[in-house]
Amino acid sequence: MAAAHDDPGVVQMRQRGVTVFGMFFVGVVVAVCLVLAAKIVPAVTEYLAIQKAVNRAAQSGSTVGEIRSAFERARTADYFEAVTGKDLEISKDGERIVVEFAYDKEIHLAGPAYLLLKFRGRNQ
């Protein structure tokens, strides 16, 4: 008698799927990515608020003092603390006012591990 796998009338199905170890590994990777995203998103949101405040301040003032005070008003309204009006680099490029900022943000991950984000920007 022939074995079942030798019989041309029997279709052999291959098992497919993920092992328990594979599911655990994928779950750990997804969890780490979610934790990183939860820590990075507020820093990026703060950067975008600073960028918006710099653009508004550069358009609303014509002197260094006016630009700094307009930025401070936006800073108070948007609740960010990474950059103050004193941290802005204000210069002129021809007739155009250029307002630049730069700051670093350290995000604690675990133990002695930190993630360092370096933010740089200027008005548009």
Side-chain angles (χ1 to χ4, degrees):
M1 195 182 254
H5 64 277
D6 292 335
D7 188 5
V10 175
V11 177
Q12 189 172 7
M13 300 293 287
R14 287 189 84 173
Q15 287 186 347
R16 295 183 183 179
V18 180
T19 64
V20 172
F21 179 73
M23 285 292 282
F24 179 73
F25 181 74
V26 169
V28 167
V29 170
V30 168
V32 167
C33 289
L34 288 174
V35 168
L36 278 175
K39 292 186 176 209
I40 291 173
V41 166
V44 173
T45 303
E46 181 181 47
Y47 167 77
L48 294 174
I50 292 169
Q51 182 67 53
K52 188 169 77 170
V54 163
N55 289 334
R56 282 188 303 206
Q59 292 173 352
S60 68
S62 58
T63 66
V64 173
E66 289 174 354
I67 292 171
R68 287 188 201 278
S69 69
F71 181 81
E72 285 297 326
R73 283 191 303 275
R75 180 175 167 262
T76 303
D78 290 340
Y79 304 109
F80 58 83
E81 297 180 3
V83 178
T84 65
K86 293 182 240 174
D87 298 327
L88 299 176
E89 296 287 329
I90 303 169
S91 61
K92 273 198 159 188
D93 185 19
E95 291 298 314
R96 184 172 178 263
I97 296 174
V98 178
V99 181
E100 297 176 306
F101 65 94
Y103 68 99
D104 298 340
K105 186 81 166 187
E106 281 187 358
I107 298 173
H108 182 254
L109 298 177
Y114 285 84
L115 177 64
L116 177 65
L117 301 174
K118 292 181 173 266
F119 293 104
R120 310 278 181 260
R122 65 186 300 178
N123 66 315
Q124 298 168 343

